Amino acid sequence: MNWKGKTVGYALTGSHCTLEEVMPQIKRFKDGGASVVPIVSHTIMTTDTRFGTSENWQKQLKDITGNDIISTIVEAEPLGPSKLLDVLVIAPCTGNSISKLANAMTDSPVLMAAKAQMRNCRPLVLAISTNDGLGLNAANIAKLLVTKNIYFVPFGQDNPQQKPNSLVARMELVPETCYSALEGKQLQPMIIERFHSA
């Protein structure tokens, strides 16, 4: 895919177990010629987990994108008036962020960036990663599915036997979904088999 001349906002929220999956997708945007603006939630900036340290993830983001990280609401707010982003993707997008986005809450840099993108009627792409996608968050996902200019990276149950409510996007389809979103199309099929658990 040719991303030359495009500015991609790449936002990450605190599904730490999927961060390793999304870093190569950020590089694919860069390799395709895009300018990538990294945006992170407070959790990414402050939390060390068994999947890696906050410092390590921040370094990877800076090294891949060559840009400073937007990590505060104040830094994210100008994305609206500037109309900087051609497309914004939130990958991974946690259930917490899905819930807040669906209910118009703006209390993080990522959600402020999403609000800015929606204000400009430009594509917002969500790559969900949530343990309650088929639980309480199902209603919020449904609201976002029918919201104009919001698109979903194809997703499915990642462990239906042990975590039947859990939904995770297929992160390797992030660039393809964004490309389709720029054309006003939802990448299909949207609901897929994510993993098959024996």
Side-chain angles (χ1 to χ4, degrees):
M1 286 173 283
N2 184 357
W3 288 95
K4 289 181 180 176
K6 299 295 184 184
T7 300
V8 175
Y10 203 106
L12 302 93
T13 64
S15 177
H16 293 87
C17 59
T18 57
L19 295 182
E20 189 172 350
E21 287 183 63
V22 302
M23 291 298 166
Q25 311 318 316
I26 302 172
K27 189 174 186 301
R28 287 177 63 195
F29 284 116
K30 282 294 293 182
D31 291 346
S35 173
V36 180
V37 178
I39 307 157
V40 300
S41 67
H42 303 301
T43 302
I44 299 294
M45 288 299 292
T46 59
T47 306
D48 297 339
T49 73
R50 63 190 174 94
F51 301 104
T53 66
S54 170
E55 182 180 4
N56 175 58
W57 295 122
Q58 290 178 54
K59 183 178 187 303
Q60 285 193 53
L61 276 174
K62 290 179 183 178
D63 288 347
I64 294 170
T65 66
N67 287 319
D68 290 332
I69 297 170
I70 292 176
S71 61
T72 68
I73 291 175
V74 171
E75 292 168 347
E77 191 277 333
L79 293 172
S82 70
K83 298 184 178 179
L84 176 66
L85 306 179
D86 293 295
V87 60
L88 170 64
V89 57
I90 306 175
C93 185
T94 62
N96 188 49
S97 293
I98 289 165
S99 173
K100 291 178 178 181
L101 182 61
N103 291 284
M105 296 176 66
T106 309
D107 65 353
S108 77
V110 170
L111 292 169
M112 176 57 78
K115 179 181 178 181
Q117 191 74 349
M118 294 173 75
R119 156 194 162 154
N120 292 330
C121 299
R122 291 186 176 182
L124 171 62
V125 174
L126 306 178
I128 62 176
S129 181
T130 172
N131 282 326
D132 69 341
L134 294 177
L136 287 174
N137 240 329
N140 296 314
I141 292 171
K143 284 175 71 174
L144 297 174
L145 282 170
V146 297
T147 301
K148 188 176 180 181
N149 298 318
I150 291 183
Y151 304 86
F152 281 77
V153 177
F155 62 88
Q157 291 173 281
D158 58 305
N159 190 344
Q161 281 73 34
Q162 296 179 13
K163 299 189 299 177
N165 287 342
S166 182
L167 295 175
V168 179
R170 189 170 288 173
M171 299 302 173
E172 70 271 18
L173 294 177
V174 164
E176 288 81 359
T177 307
C178 290
Y179 206 80
S180 291
L182 283 169
E183 298 178 342
K185 299 175 183 177
Q186 169 64 53
L187 187 67
Q188 297 290 346
M190 183 180 66
I191 298 176
I192 58 169
E193 185 174 17
R194 177 60 162 77
F195 291 115
H196 178 71
S197 299

